[in-house]
Amino acid sequence: MIADAALLVIDVQNGFISEPGELPVPEGHLVVPLIHDLLPHFPVRVATQDWHPREHQSFASRHPGTKPFDRGTLGGLPQTFWPDHCVQGTRGAELHPGLDQNWIQAILRKGMDPRTDSYSGFSDNAGRNPTGLDGLLKSRGVRKIYLAGLALDYCVRWSALDARRLLPEAEVYVIVDATRPVDRTTGAEALRDLSHAGIRLLPSAEVLAGISRARAV
């Protein structure tokens, strides 16, 4: 087990993986077995969950003449308008069944304010609705934060950047093969942004190898 470490499992939900007509991330299903293997090795394990009301204004369907993936503004902030996804109480909003929830200690829901989108696991995009994740991590004495899940170019990216900003004393890592982007171009941009922010990019094999070496000492 990695001492003083947390694994943040970002939005591993049916709506991003397997639910027809929602917002499937290409190859998103591939992150599930990797996260399954990683979870037992962390003393702190938290999942986030998009939990949108049906009238969420980030949905293209709420703006006549707007198509999914069109860009505009919402509440004065830049916005990509999405297909309806992860609506409260639907199968799409559920965590993927391949994710063993017995390992997860806390599930934090986000995206409930219809006026603003919510990429980060720490707060919505407007900063109006913090989830309390930073306080949870601080209370558990976390000094290393590892992130995995969906999607790299949005919710993983902004969660990692917020972790770096809100917990500057902690080391922040993104497990690159345990995440996937919505789009390859914005995925590459996200990796550059994360690296420039001082966030380390690691493959899961390196994380697991480090655990094995620590056990052997």
Side-chain angles (χ1 to χ4, degrees), residues 34-54:
L34 293 173
I35 294 171
H36 175 84
D37 290 344
L38 288 161
L39 275 166
H41 302 293
F42 289 83
V44 179
R45 303 173 295 273
V46 180
T48 67
Q49 187 178 21
D50 260 3
W51 196 250
H52 297 309
R54 289 192 179 276

Side-chain angles (χ1 to χ4, degrees), residues 28-74:
H29 65 287
L30 297 178
V31 309
V32 179
L34 293 173
I35 294 171
H36 175 84
D37 290 344
L38 288 161
L39 275 166
H41 302 293
F42 289 83
V44 179
R45 303 173 295 273
V46 180
T48 67
Q49 187 178 21
D50 260 3
W51 196 250
H52 297 309
R54 289 192 179 276
E55 70 276 12
H56 203 280
Q57 295 302 302
S58 70
F59 295 163
S61 63
R62 292 288 155 182
H63 304 272
T66 299
K67 304 183 300 298
F69 306 105
D70 283 353
R71 295 180 183 271
T73 60
L74 181 63

